[in-house]
Amino acid sequence: MLAFKTSVWLRSFWRQNARRVVAPSSSSSSSSSSSLPPIGWSGQQRRLAGHSKWANIQHRKKAQDNKRNKYFNKMSKAIMAAAKEGEESVNPRLRSLILEAKRSGVPKDNIQKAVDKGLNAVNGQGDQFEEVVYEGYGPGGIAVMVETLTDNRNRTPAELRHIFDKNGGNMSGSVSWIFTRKARIEVPLLTTEYDGDDNANKPEAKDEDDSVEMEGKALSEDEIMEISLSLGAEDIEAHEDIRIAEVFCAPADVKEVQNGLEEAVGASLGFQFVAIPNSKILLASEDEIEQFTRFLEAVDDQDDVQTIHHNAELGE
């Protein structure tokens, strides 16, 4: 005990008196002594600060790279599962996933490897993934449906159940009745309809970084609505900020609607199956929004998760 108290006293004494020590004068006869920096304000301390800043940059870059690689892996798994249904030429789902992967920057080699693995899996070779949907309630009683691709039906639900429980939710009960299944097709949206001689009516310039790169001819909202409704689509949502329009239709009608829109724009268009909530629950407070956002991030971080559907409406 005495040794402990003495050690504590010595450390306290050193901290108090170290600040009083100053660098020796440059006129000192000892060249080695004159080169010593002041204690408490040292070049070593500056180097450490620089190292810490570099470490933080490296940490952020590593986190971004990990997030990107995780997305690439999830896209590869989705392509592998879709490829089991046949080649791209006769497989609209596979074609849509490949389009999405290319737009998202997934390397071509990764895409081709995923396609090959999926085609081999048809013959019982390679990885075997199952598409499984898990349902439950997140924090705040929000209905949640989680679509997964898993090769282990024991591991995936156990990990998801842990995430739900840890974040104030529970993975029990069915919530699929709260959602309606739709197909969503993205179409390039024309947002520069104005008279070139009338600058007063010219729309504000869009940020190119926010737009979505899509091939084909961009159509106006009215053109998209007219074509889509004639093909059997049910709803349209235009997003001028990112220059796309979302066309929603019944899953059974997706092929006809997709083909008609592709003919209109002159390019291939992808589609996704989505679950649209019939009713929503408003999360108004910052605490509720933050808690639910952390929950979504934790679920999405699970390796087998592909898509998350929920009926939360996040307040501003």
Side-chain angles (χ1 to χ4, degrees):
M1 180 61 73
L2 178 60
F4 173 75
K5 289 184 177 179
T6 303
S7 176
V8 171
W9 179 85
L10 285 172
R11 287 199 299 270
S12 176
F13 175 81
W14 174 252
R15 284 198 300 269
Q16 292 174 7
N17 290 275
R19 302 189 187 96
R20 302 175 187 173
V21 180
V22 296
S25 170
S26 59
S27 61
S28 172
S29 60
S30 172
S31 60
S32 61
S33 297
S34 62
S35 64
L36 292 175
I39 295 176
W41 190 78
S42 65
Q44 174 67 12
Q45 203 171 46
R46 285 188 170 184
R47 287 194 294 274
L48 287 174
H51 172 75
S52 177
K53 181 179 179 181
W54 175 249
N56 288 336
I57 294 173
Q58 290 292 90
H59 177 74
R60 288 195 297 270
K61 185 177 184 301
K62 184 177 180 181
Q64 292 171 351
D65 289 343
N66 289 341
K67 188 174 182 179
R68 180 185 61 185
N69 291 336
K70 181 163 287 190
Y71 174 77
F72 286 178
N73 290 337
K74 290 190 176 188
M75 281 299 305
S76 295
K77 286 174 68 174
I79 291 172
M80 288 168 57
K84 292 192 296 185
E85 301 172 10
E87 297 278 357
E88 180 182 356
S89 58
V90 294
N91 189 339
R93 181 186 172 196
L94 176 59
R95 185 178 62 182
S96 297
L97 286 170
I98 291 176
L99 281 173
E100 181 182 349
K102 288 179 178 178
R103 286 209 302 261
S104 301
V106 179
K108 291 182 179 180
D109 289 345
N110 293 27
I111 296 174
Q112 189 57 51
K113 287 178 182 178
V115 172
D116 293 340
K117 286 183 179 180
L119 293 174
N120 290 334
V122 177
N123 301 321
Q125 302 175 3
D127 298 322
Q128 301 291 325
F129 292 103
E130 294 182 83
E131 298 181 57
V132 185
V133 179
Y134 298 97
E135 306 175 25
Y137 291 91
I142 303 299
V144 180
M145 291 176 56
V146 183
E147 297 181 1
T148 68
L149 281 173
T150 179
D151 58 355
N152 190 322
R153 277 180 170 265
N154 295 322
R155 181 197 66 236
T156 304
E159 292 182 357
L160 285 176
R161 187 172 289 106
H162 174 72
I163 295 171
F164 271 73
D165 293 342
K166 183 179 179 180
N167 289 273
N170 63 85
M171 213 172 74
S172 61
S174 173
V175 300
S176 58
W177 58 273
I178 299 176
F179 301 87
T180 300
R181 199 77 168 169
K182 302 282 186 184
R184 179 181 65 195
I185 305 169
E186 293 183 352
V187 182
L189 176 65
L190 182 65
T191 60
T192 56
E193 293 183 334
Y194 70 98
D195 185 345
D197 297 328
D198 185 5
N199 290 327
N201 294 329
K202 183 175 180 178
E204 294 183 2
K206 305 294 181 183
D207 185 350
E208 293 296 335
D209 292 337
D210 292 336
S211 61
V212 175
E213 292 294 332
M214 298 190 68
E215 297 180 354
K217 174 187 175 183
L219 304 176
S220 69
E221 183 177 355
D222 290 339
E223 289 174 322
I224 296 173
M225 181 174 295
E226 180 180 356
I227 296 171
S228 301
L229 294 179
S230 68
L231 294 168
E234 300 175 355
D235 193 16
I236 298 167
E237 291 183 9
H239 305 280
E240 292 195 356
D241 54 335
I242 56 175
R243 297 172 179 167
I244 67 168
E246 295 178 309
V247 178
F248 297 90
C249 66
D253 299 330
V254 63
K255 186 175 181 180
E256 182 178 354
V257 176
Q258 182 188 28
N259 290 341
L261 288 171
E262 286 180 342
E263 183 178 348
V265 302
S268 298
L269 300 175
F271 74 90
Q272 292 178 321
F273 290 121
V274 296
I276 308 297
N278 301 321
S279 61
K280 294 184 177 182
I281 296 178
L282 176 64
L283 299 180
S285 73
E286 292 184 5
D287 290 342
E288 289 177 324
I289 295 174
E290 183 178 352
Q291 182 185 20
F292 188 69
T293 301
R294 285 199 306 267
F295 164 73
L296 289 180
E297 290 175 351
V299 174
D300 187 60
D301 204 39
Q302 205 279 337
D303 291 337
D304 299 326
V305 171
Q306 289 289 312
T307 309
I308 308 170
H309 306 286
H310 62 81
N311 71 333
E313 181 177 350
L314 305 184
E316 298 181 359

